[in-house]
Amino acid sequence: MTRHRTAIALTLFVTLGAVTVGIPATAAQTGPAVRTSAPTTAPVTAHVTEPDSTVVDALDRASHRLRTVATGGDTRDLRPLDRMIGDARVVGLGEATHGSHEFFALKHRVFRHLVEEQGFRTFALEAPWSTGLRLNAYVLRGEGDPRRIMREEFQRDYLWWNNAEYLALVEWMRAYNLRHPGDPVQFMGDDFAWAGPELYDEVTGYVARAHPGLLARFTALYRGLRPTTAAGAYIEQYLHLPYAERKERADRTGQALKLLKQQAPGADRAAYDWAVRHATAIDQTARGYAFDFEDPEQLRAAMRFRDSVMADNVAWWAEHTGNKVLLSAHNAHVAYVPDDPVHYPKMQGAFLRDRFGDGYLSIGFTFARGSFNATGPEGEVRRFSLGPAGPGNNERTLDRVRHRDYVVDLRTAPQPARNWLRAARPTRSIGTAYPEPEHDIALARSHDVLIHLHRVKAAHLRDR
């Protein structure tokens, strides 16, 4: 869910501009991902000889002005983005912070446009699978109150998503479905740090109906795992369990998943497939915590596991629903190459490219100045502000382009901009914690398309 770069005690994987599920205080800070030539190799900082003015001139010719980040009105300014997306089935839309209004608002605007003009039907968020199911029940059938769902689900490392911007998106999705009951949009969560009680009820309910003789076995395997506390408290308690106990829990959830997969699907194949997927989500949560976070190699494996799981969940959803998916996550997660391969060997974007080929497209964000919400050094959530980027930063040159806000296809940018875009240099990539060091990022190796915003402001957090 957020950028995994936090060195805060036992933070969830939510901090990397993604999520920092379970990183102990002793772990090195980690960060967002960036695409270089190979998914296991960090971008090499390069010095381009072309003067900045010629790079800016080339970007001027290649860039397309964005009229606004706000929803409403015509979206003709997004038509160039349609051409860039082409036939992609999954589009990863990043964010350079986890707490800026413009990133969330523009995602809403882009999703509405893609729904209405390009046939996209799912919004996927860097949030737990069970959280996505609860919000989807509201979006599809009006079940529950989205404000309460967000308050209960977006806790601890996921608190950044409990904002007014995403509430507006969810409410628009519900309104759209009331107007189009035969062709609805859907909401999904692709992460695993929390497996809500509904998942256990779905699996055991299916077993009770389809294989009642196995119910006692499933009840025993899941004993003590079904959450009885709020999401934030459950995550906190899980992270403090002894390593051996976390491994034992993963062994039990793995046995349950294997046992369910061994059963014949029966007449209702769809019910079987969903039950297996819910059992998979339960197992993903247990396995996500079943690493020794004090061991650097285990921590590295945990980070790779998380991004692979998020990619698997999105791919499963796209394939089983047939929906085109807009995937919302940090720039790091939607990118192709990690900027910190020591801690992040492979990112979600690289896994999705492996799965879909050109059917996956990565869109990154940059910003020149502005504010965002993040956790400060003392553990407090507060607003931070940044002025113009320093000399040598990617944002410094990008903000000299004639448009205030714009989109550019990094794959077709003319020279000398193309060479410039493929060179790594300091770039802002901020997750849930700040301050955090800038990383050398080669934009054109990380993403296919870039959206640059001149100024951002902090998002509107709810219930705080």
Side-chain angles (χ1 to χ4, degrees):
M1 172 169 97
T2 45
R3 174 182 180 92
H4 295 264
R5 253 179 214 262
T6 343
I8 304 176
L10 293 173
T11 328
L12 182 61
F13 283 133
V14 175
T15 303
L16 161 77
V19 183
T20 306
V21 175
I23 299 183
T26 55
Q29 260 193 335
T30 44
V34 182
R35 174 189 187 177
T36 74
S37 39
T40 56
T41 305
V44 176
T45 303
H47 301 283
V48 191
T49 57
E50 293 90 351
D52 272 0
S53 59
T54 63
V55 171
V56 172
D57 288 344
L59 289 172
D60 274 342
R61 298 194 302 273
S63 61
H64 301 270
R65 173 181 172 270
L66 291 176
R67 181 180 62 84
T68 180
V69 301
T71 57
D74 72 72
T75 59
R76 284 177 291 179
D77 57 316
L78 294 178
R79 288 176 183 170
L81 184 60
D82 293 342
R83 295 192 293 272
M84 298 173 197
I85 290 172
D87 296 328
R89 296 176 57 196
V90 178
V91 173
L93 185 53
E95 56 205 33
T97 81
H98 272 318
S100 295
H101 164 80
E102 283 72 12
F103 298 140
F104 302 140
L106 190 52
K107 290 182 183 193
H108 182 174
R109 184 172 189 244
V110 168
F111 182 62
R112 288 178 66 162
H113 173 80
L114 293 179
V115 167
E116 294 166 348
E117 303 295 333
Q118 298 299 322
F120 278 66
R121 288 297 180 268
T122 290
F123 185 88
L125 181 62
E126 190 183 337
W129 178 264
S130 56
T131 299
L133 294 177
R134 286 191 71 188
L135 285 170
N136 201 38
Y138 169 75
V139 165
L140 287 176
R141 300 180 294 278
E143 295 177 9
D145 176 358
R147 293 166 178 79
R148 178 177 178 179
I149 295 170
M150 293 173 70
R151 182 181 306 119
E152 293 176 349
E153 295 290 331
F154 294 142
Q155 298 185 10
R156 203 176 185 275
D157 308 80
Y158 294 102
L159 66 87
W160 316 101
W161 304 158
N162 187 14
N163 59 56
E165 292 82 357
Y166 275 147
L167 176 60
L169 169 62
V170 168
E171 290 180 329
W172 174 83
M173 293 174 72
R174 177 60 189 151
Y176 178 91
N177 286 344
L178 288 173
R179 298 192 304 272
H180 305 86
D183 187 21
V185 294
Q186 300 198 64
F187 191 105
M188 77 156 292
D190 69 352
D191 210 350
F192 66 80
W194 151 257
E198 302 85 2
L199 291 185
Y200 295 88
D201 297 343
E202 289 287 343
V203 175
T204 55
Y206 171 81
V207 170
R209 294 189 303 274
H211 307 284
L214 296 176
L215 182 58
R217 178 61 176 153
F218 274 83
T219 301
L221 289 171
Y222 285 157
R223 184 168 290 116
L225 302 184
R226 184 184 184 279
T228 57
T229 61
Y234 181 85
I235 293 170
E236 184 72 22
Q237 292 165 10
Y238 211 134
L239 286 168
H240 285 87
L241 292 175
Y243 174 46
E245 186 171 346
R246 286 183 275 122
K247 286 184 63 179
E248 186 271 339
R249 289 185 170 204
D251 179 65
R252 285 194 279 139
T253 60
Q255 289 183 51
L257 176 59
K258 181 179 179 180
L259 181 59
L260 187 56
K261 286 182 174 180
Q262 290 172 342
Q263 309 311 308
D268 192 345
R269 180 62 193 242
Y272 171 80
D273 287 343
W274 279 101
V276 169
R277 198 64 205 175
H278 298 328
T280 299
I282 291 170
D283 188 53
Q284 288 171 348
T285 297
R287 292 192 183 282
Y289 289 104
F291 290 89
D292 182 357
F293 302 121
E294 299 292 337
D295 180 337
E297 286 304 312
Q298 284 273 299
L299 183 57
R300 176 180 164 88
M303 298 300 99
R304 189 183 194 280
F305 174 79
R306 177 170 180 255
D307 275 76
S308 70
V309 160
M310 292 194 294
D312 285 346
N313 289 340
V314 169
W316 186 93
W317 184 279
E319 291 163 356
H320 280 74
T321 65
N323 286 357
K324 289 184 178 181
V325 177
L326 182 66
L327 165 64
S328 172
H330 194 275
N331 282 348
H333 287 305
V334 304
Y336 295 113
V337 177
D339 60 359
D340 183 10
V342 172
H343 298 105
Y344 298 92
K346 189 170 181 178
M347 307 311 297
Q348 184 181 14
F351 284 110
L352 287 170
R353 175 55 63 89
D354 290 346
R355 188 74 165 260
F356 291 101
D358 291 341
Y360 173 73
L361 181 106
S362 174
I363 304 175
F365 268 104
T366 53
F367 72 103
R369 67 199 72 196
S371 59
F372 54 90
N373 301 310
T375 301
E378 303 304 317
E380 78 287 5
V381 174
R382 66 183 186 88
R383 181 172 301 178
F384 294 86
S385 296
L386 292 175
N393 280 40
N394 273 320
E395 294 89 348
R396 183 80 162 211
T397 299
L398 292 169
D399 207 48
R400 291 175 56 195
V401 172
R402 59 194 172 100
H403 302 306
R404 179 181 177 90
D405 302 327
Y406 61 89
V407 57
V408 59
D409 193 329
L410 303 177
R411 301 163 297 181
T412 60
Q415 296 292 11
R418 187 176 306 176
N419 284 346
W420 184 85
L421 290 163
R422 292 183 67 81
R425 57 183 61 80
T427 309
R428 290 168 172 167
S429 191
I430 299 160
T432 57
Y434 195 79
E436 146 168 29
E438 293 176 342
H439 289 262
D440 286 336
I441 293 176
L443 294 170
R445 298 179 186 273
S446 302
H447 308 286
D448 300 301
V449 174
L450 181 73
I451 296 175
H452 178 76
L453 303 180
H454 174 66
R455 185 183 295 274
V456 300
K457 60 181 178 292
H460 303 89
L461 290 175
R462 300 180 57 252
D463 303 320
R464 299 192 69 85

